[in-house]
Amino acid sequence: MKVLVIGGGGREHALAWRLAQSERVTRVYVAPGNGGTAQDKRFVQVDLTEPAALRAWAQQEKIALTVVGPEAPLAAGVVDEFRAHGLRIFGPTQAAAQLESSKAFSKAFMKRHKIPTAEYEAFTDPAAAHAYVDAQGAPIVVKADGLAAGKGVVVAMTLQEAHEAIDFMLVDNKFGVSHNEGGARVVIEEFLAGEEASFIVLCDGKNVTALATSQDHKRLLDGDEGPNTGGMGAYSPAPVVTAEIHGRVMREIILPTIRGMEKDGIPYTGFLYAGLMIDKDGHAKTLEFNCRMGDPETQPIMMRLKSDLFEVLWHATDGTLDQVELQWDRRVALGVVLAAHGYPLAPRKGDAIMAIPAEAPDAMVFHAGTTLQDGQLRTSGGRVLCVTALADNVRLAQQRAYEVAAQVRFDGVQYRKDIGHRAVAARAGQGG
């Protein structure tokens, strides 16, 4: 069977890598792919991104299954396009993808279906937004309403930061983001304290299967300092998500979301990612929904997945996810993102990547912002690579990942040295 993975980041490299291990898969195509997938004989690059062009190519090549990685093609309706022509594709429709593509849609949906989330208001008028912030006080969260590649959120600890964020997103619209009715809009919501976790599930419209838990590190610098990024590293499993919290999240957030979408006439299929904030009492609220797997969470999750991903996604596109029980490696997987000089505000592109360690049974370097130019691998984005390792506990996985990361060389490389620090601290606190 031929499989197509749409996208070109680290998440897509990890999905393609896992799909290529299926006995039923004869060829994995990646559109458009990156330098890592271009170098790997297991994959074939397809230089297409537009939904109709991808669909026409998939028809011609008789692609058995297509998996959508990033949010932009989903928001552009690639799933609708493929399905309209009888092609099997895993992902949400354009209407369902509004859970991610419009923060205001998502928040209104959660309010309507009583799904735990932060209190909020949406604004298109800057004066009203500024007045709301003054009335609420800081800390407070300002979000651009639309797709901003994981960077459209400012956690403002002071009123000045909040007002600057409103001007940046609403007055100047520096992200160039439009919500679904056009123009700039911001969602301003209450600040939630606690520990973040990523809760990702597979949905077939009715049935839900949870993936292994994971935790992302959004801040650029050690100790969770510096600006927010698309994610500087992740590990799986996440100790903060206990069995009790897992059950509660499924009951209070995930299942009501799937039932709510069905009730609203927008059945949800695909990966669904709930970004959670878990307070000290173990209560979770939804920070956001993504209609895809997280990046860099995908890389550690795919390292731990023992089940055949192709078989699982075939069930998911057949509406038979209830017949699937996922098998996981009991070890911890931990991924460290190696970012370009200047990331996240002004990442430099074009630096030559001089050394990348070969794949090992317990370590894999997934590519994200890389390109192959005349045989030379170069940086082409902010987050360049994700070095991911498996080991018996978090500390050992950390050691192995950093051992591999130290072997990678390109000018201006930057990465956090403390990925997994919360899990290590939790383990130490338990005397482990």
Side-chain angles (χ1 to χ4, degrees):
M1 300 257 198
K2 294 179 180 179
V3 176
L4 169 64
V5 176
I6 296 176
R11 164 185 44 233
E12 291 76 43
H13 189 184
L15 288 168
W17 173 78
R18 182 50 77 194
L19 284 162
Q21 294 169 41
S22 170
E23 289 181 5
R24 289 183 64 193
V25 172
T26 54
R27 182 64 58 90
V28 177
Y29 296 89
V30 191
N34 56 43
T37 54
Q39 280 186 324
D40 195 321
K41 298 285 187 286
R42 290 172 291 191
F43 311 123
V44 179
Q45 307 271 92
V46 181
D47 192 18
L48 295 171
T49 54
E50 200 271 321
L54 281 164
R55 183 266 307 157
W57 178 88
Q59 279 181 303
Q60 182 188 314
E61 287 294 326
K62 298 184 168 52
I63 298 297
L65 172 69
T66 298
V67 183
V68 190
E71 61 275 24
L74 296 171
V78 71
V79 170
D80 310 68
E81 175 72 30
F82 271 58
R83 285 189 186 163
H85 292 82
L87 292 168
R88 185 183 289 259
I89 184 166
F90 187 63
T93 60
Q94 188 175 35
Q98 287 180 95
L99 273 180
E100 175 172 10
S101 65
S102 170
K103 299 278 192 299
F105 172 92
S106 174
K107 295 294 284 190
F109 171 85
M110 286 189 266
K111 197 171 186 177
R112 193 164 62 248
H113 293 286
K114 298 181 173 54
I115 293 160
T117 189
E119 292 298 319
Y120 81 102
E121 292 291 342
F123 300 93
T124 52
D125 174 21
H130 285 302
Y132 181 78
V133 161
D134 283 333
Q136 296 297 316
I140 197 162
V141 181
V142 184
K143 297 180 175 180
D145 181 25
L147 299 178
K151 300 176 197 70
V153 178
V154 172
V155 180
M157 301 312 288
T158 65
L159 284 174
Q160 183 183 342
E161 283 181 277
H163 290 305
E164 285 172 358
I166 290 166
D167 287 341
F168 188 85
M169 296 178 193
L170 208 48
V171 179
D172 305 328
N173 194 11
K174 286 288 173 62
F175 287 124
V177 169
S178 288
H179 65 82
N180 292 342
E181 286 115 49
R185 178 163 64 186
V186 293
V187 169
I188 302 178
E189 60 185 44
E190 70 171 316
F191 172 81
L192 298 176
E195 192 169 341
E196 285 190 51
S198 307
F199 201 101
I200 307 172
V201 299
L202 300 160
C203 314
D204 66 9
K206 285 188 184 297
N207 304 298
V208 178
T209 298
L211 295 178
T213 60
S214 56
Q215 190 168 50
D216 184 13
H217 297 60
K218 284 290 183 204
R219 299 283 187 172
L220 180 70
L221 306 173
D222 288 6
D224 299 317
E225 299 288 332
N228 257 341
T229 70
M232 293 301 293
Y235 57 92
S236 173
V240 67
V241 184
T242 62
E244 185 186 347
I245 291 172
H246 193 284
R248 191 181 286 161
V249 170
M250 288 295 285
R251 282 193 311 275
E252 296 178 4
I253 295 172
I254 301 296
L255 292 173
T257 298
I258 301 307
R259 303 287 173 264
M261 291 295 277
E262 199 176 8
K263 196 173 172 184
D264 290 354
I266 317 171
Y268 192 93
T269 56
F271 296 109
L272 180 67
Y273 169 123
L276 305 177
M277 183 66 82
I278 299 167
D279 70 16
K280 60 185 190 315
D281 300 319
H283 294 287
K285 285 189 176 180
T286 315
L287 293 172
E288 63 176 355
F289 284 120
N290 290 335
C291 296
R292 55 193 161 90
M293 287 192 75
D295 187 348
E297 296 96 328
T298 306
Q299 293 87 317
I301 289 171
M302 287 298 115
M303 285 285 280
R304 289 189 62 220
L305 181 66
K306 293 175 83 171
S307 303
D308 183 322
L309 182 60
F310 176 82
E311 297 283 0
V312 171
L313 297 181
W314 195 265
H315 275 290
T317 48
D318 260 352
T320 54
L321 259 181
D322 53 332
Q323 297 174 25
V324 169
E325 192 170 331
L326 298 178
Q327 304 297 318
W328 299 99
D329 194 310
R330 61 171 182 76
R331 291 175 292 175
V332 171
L334 185 142
V336 177
V337 168
L338 275 56
H341 174 82
Y343 179 76
L345 292 176
R348 189 171 71 201
K349 298 178 182 179
D351 286 311
I353 302 169
M354 305 314 295
I356 291 190
E359 182 176 336
D362 66 342
M364 174 70 188
V365 181
F366 294 106
H367 290 241
T370 67
T371 186
L372 200 58
Q373 292 177 354
D374 302 322
Q376 173 64 63
L377 204 58
R378 294 188 180 275
T379 63
S380 64
R383 293 183 298 163
V384 178
L385 303 164
C386 183
V387 177
T388 313
L390 276 169
D392 285 335
N393 59 47
V394 184
R395 197 178 287 282
L396 290 173
Q398 219 179 29
Q399 285 173 5
R400 179 70 173 122
Y402 283 112
E403 183 183 287
V404 177
Q407 298 171 51
V408 178
R409 296 200 312 279
F410 61 89
D411 282 349
V413 62
Q414 55 170 331
Y415 55 92
R416 280 182 58 161
K417 311 297 189 295
D418 68 343
I419 301 301
H421 69 92
R422 286 179 185 270
V424 169
R427 188 178 167 84
Q430 293 160 1

